[in-house]
Amino acid sequence: MLFAHDTVMALTAAAALVNTASAGSLDSVADLDAFVTEWGWTGSREHSRGELAAVRALRPKLRAIWESDDEQVVRIVNGLLLDAHALPQLVRHGDWDWHLHATDPSAPLADRMAVEAAMGVVDLVRAGELDRLRICAADDCDDVLVDLSKNRSRRYCDRGCGNRTNVAAYRARLSGTS
Ligand SMILES: [Zn+2]
Ligand SMILES: [Zn+2]
């Protein structure tokens, strides 16, 4: 296991949240409900426009983590943890064995999302593995991804860019244009 399960979940969910911006898929409270269900978020919810706005506003802050150098990432992560008054505690609930929560379940959803993402990045920073945060290598896509592969080989996001790029290269070879 490269990283703890909660680190993997936190980073994968953070990338998915960032990528809802380019997908235009977090436009309503119903969209947010679906996202929260899909990614298994527990804890308090408001189901309000304000909650939606706070989560949407978190996306560029998280995206900046993918686009910054190590020093900047540390500043961003520390800022997210401070702003949400993060206080790490080991907890166990449902099917989940011991893992870290750094916010109370009653804290606002956007704060909990921010802190979970930050804690995931904390693990990458400590392990010297920040280069696992990547931008999709496809020319026409700038979605973010987390490369959790053993051989650090992941270059494309989840939205089929790898296939699309391979197919395009194959067609180009067939037609003799490359
Ligand atoms: Zn938990
Ligand atoms: Zn892509």
Side-chain angles (χ1 to χ4, degrees), residues 42 91 93 96 99-101:
T42 56
V91 296
H93 58 83
W96 293 73
H99 58 286
L100 275 176
H101 277 197

Coordinates of all heavy atoms in Angstrom, one line a residue, residues 42 91 93 96 99-101, ligand 1:
T42 N -20.1 11.9 4.9 CA -21.0 11.8 6.0 C -21.0 13.2 6.7 O -20.4 14.1 6.3 CB -20.6 10.7 7.0 OG1 -19.3 11.0 7.4 CG2 -20.7 9.3 6.3
V91 N -10.7 8.5 14.4 CA -12.1 8.0 14.6 C -12.3 6.7 13.9 O -11.6 6.3 13.0 CB -13.1 9.1 14.1 CG1 -13.0 10.4 14.9 CG2 -12.9 9.4 12.6
H93 N -15.9 4.7 12.2 CA -17.3 4.7 12.1 C -17.8 3.9 10.9 O -17.0 3.7 10.0 CB -17.8 6.2 11.9 CG -17.2 6.9 10.8 ND1 -17.7 6.8 9.5 CD2 -16.2 7.8 10.7 CE1 -17.0 7.6 8.7 NE2 -16.0 8.2 9.4
W96 N -15.6 1.9 8.3 CA -14.3 2.4 8.3 C -13.5 2.2 9.6 O -14.0 2.6 10.7 CB -14.3 4.0 8.1 CG -14.8 4.3 6.7 CD1 -16.1 4.2 6.3 CD2 -14.1 4.8 5.6 NE1 -16.2 4.7 5.0 CE2 -14.9 5.1 4.6 CE3 -12.7 5.2 5.5 CZ2 -14.5 5.5 3.3 CZ3 -12.3 5.7 4.3 CH2 -13.2 5.8 3.2
H99 N -9.2 6.0 11.3 CA -8.7 7.0 10.3 C -8.8 8.4 10.9 O -9.3 8.5 12.0 CB -9.4 6.9 9.0 CG -10.9 7.2 9.0 ND1 -11.7 6.2 9.5 CD2 -11.6 8.2 8.7 CE1 -13.0 6.7 9.5 NE2 -12.9 7.9 9.0
L100 N -8.2 9.3 10.2 CA -8.2 10.7 10.8 C -9.3 11.5 10.3 O -9.7 11.5 9.2 CB -6.9 11.4 10.3 CG -5.6 11.2 11.1 CD1 -4.5 11.9 10.4 CD2 -5.7 11.7 12.5
H101 N -10.0 12.2 11.3 CA -10.9 13.3 10.9 C -10.2 14.5 11.6 O -9.7 14.5 12.7 CB -12.2 13.1 11.6 CG -13.2 12.3 10.8 ND1 -14.5 12.3 11.0 CD2 -12.9 11.3 9.9 CE1 -15.1 11.4 10.2 NE2 -14.2 10.8 9.5
Ligands
ZN1 ZN -14.5 9.1 8.5

